[in-house]
Amino acid sequence: MLLLLAITALAIAWLRDLFAAVMLAGIYGLLSASFFVSVDAVDVAFTEAAVGAGIFPLLMLAALALVGRYEQTAYRHPLISLLLVSITGATLVLGTLDMPAFGSPDAPPHSHVAVRYIEESPKEIGIPNMVTSVLADYRSFDTLGEVAVIFTAAMGVLGLLFTGRAASPGSATERANMYDHRVLRVVSKMLIPLILLFALYVQFHGEYGPGGGFQAGVIFAAGIILYAMLFGFGNAQRVVRPALLQILAACGVLIYGSVGVVCLLSGGNFLDYSQLLPDPLAGRHLGILVIELGVGITVASSMILIFYAFASATVNPEEVA
Amino acid sequence: MLMELYNYWVVILLMMTGFYIVIVQGNLIKKLIGLNLFQTSVFIFYISLGKVSGGSAPIFAEGVSSYSNPLPHVLILTAIVVGIATTALALALVIRIRNAYGTVEEEELQQRDLEC
Amino acid sequence: MLTAVVVALLVVMVMALSRALLGPTIYDRILAVNVFGTKTVLLIAVVGFLFGRPDFLDIALVYALINFISVIGVLRYFEYSNERHQGGNP
Amino acid sequence: MIALLLEGVSILCLGTGVFLLVSGGIGLLRFPEVFSRMHAAGVTETLAASLILLGLMILAGWGIVMFKLLLILLFILITSPTASHALAKAAVHGGLGADPGRNETS
């Protein structure tokens, strides 16, 4: 599995056609997610499935459509770089000689805080998925930071690219749709509600199985993006308005933060959910549910906004400059 | 010995490939792909650290006594989504550069800067 | 038996990967990615059974969806760029 | 008795699925041009995936797992032919004619 990953990576370095490199990057995402499953990281595999194999190639392609497909210049100083890279690599390999063997149960990472997470969290938080309890409760302040970063990045992309004008029905992207996609459209009409429903399932099932706000947000966004690709971004923007999305993206962060403030007001620490309800365990449940909802809303609307921004730059390239 | 550290070595190979792409290639998009490879290799490294042999996925279940370490999973899960958001930002910057300079090759960009 | 299935899947994944590397035309590469995606769905489903934790199936489900979306996305990109190069005449 | 029979059926399904899978893979690798490769991969893929999932379903028995497998099966049955169709159509429009005597285009 890992060997395949290595081959793919080398091939990406080798190829000059950027489009092929992007396709291989998609395969690379699929492979690394399979690897994550085989070493028990189900939640991570879930995220990598949606992001590495789905969103990342789409974003890259959207950029390629604007920038052009082939590299032009020759490699600069390939030999010196190769030497530098080999030296760094050799140093790192020397470093691994002191590392604990792969999978050994008494390695340092497993002996500090992780033991407590594994042994106590099913009792303390009352939910079976330890990843969710660490993400949304023990390390919730950290997660708030991550959500803020995603929000900021989406706003940055909007500031750089978004022209605010929806594609008018006569523009290039819309015309491409006349190209008779009946089969695709009918099938997608069946699939899109299922995708959105599945995203909601992932959102609210995250406490019991793999899933949670991050994954659900990305899947939801993928559903909307599929609609936009087949029915035109102009139509999609009439259904899901960019202005609404901007408000929603901010609201997600706001929900997350205000849960923390409510906890403060009711006498606990910031994001200490046990204060939310008289029964601490039920309070923790409620807190996790609400902040996961906040995360989901922010991630979904940020991703859709980013795609709208790229699409609007594709439709009216001259307005961006 | 070989099998025990094999994972880490592949991670280093991936990381160095990404690094090489970032150094050698002049095309900004290709550089971003290389950066992404580098990033993924770090993800794989963390997840490899979290594996416990004989352990199962860290979702509490009846009859399972040993779990893999959930902490790296949490860190990487958020890192993946943040990574794609920042990649999007970088791509947006590349597109703006393309609109301003008409190229995304680093050498040509430097020439344009010198001409000004 | 399940181990045999996993091995066969890995072999086919290698084949698809080499097709993606060789693939003279773009469509070969897209096809290889598509095949690769389906194989990954199957692989994850089977591995879930092999580890005795069939709740992994959610991931396989996501894959089946995302794979479709990315193939469609790639094809749309192609139509768009073809159209632009040929002066908007499909 | 019934359990044994079910196991036999499941192994049969998995075995046929694996055979189809590998033959599709070989076809993908060995056939001379895009459309025949598409044919090899697209046709075997659907049946092989259905058979393997069916085998797993029989292994799993009644319950949520079987339902999820059924859902995956349905998705693959819908999306895989659609993706193949879209791909073939794009290839035809993209200038690769579908005539059978055509040689490799690079």
Side-chain angles (χ1 to χ4, degrees), chain B residues 26-27 43 45 61 77 92 96 106 112:
Chain B
N27 188 300
F43 297 163
F45 177 64
L77 194 159
R96 286 303 295 264
E106 205 173 46
R112 295 290 159 82

Side-chain angles (χ1 to χ4, degrees), chain C residues 34-35 38-39 42, chain D residues 13 16-17 20-21 24 38-54 72-85:
Chain C
N34 191 16
V35 169
T38 322
K39 299 302 167 282
L42 292 177
Chain D
C13 282
T16 326
L20 282 171
L21 209 65
M38 243 176 239
H39 173 77
V43 174
T44 54
E45 188 169 76
T46 317
L47 189 58
S50 334
L51 278 174
I52 288 179
L53 288 176
L54 201 67
I72 297 177
L73 179 57
L74 270 181
F75 272 131
I76 288 189
L77 275 185
I78 296 174
T79 57
S80 171
T82 314
S84 298
H85 161 83

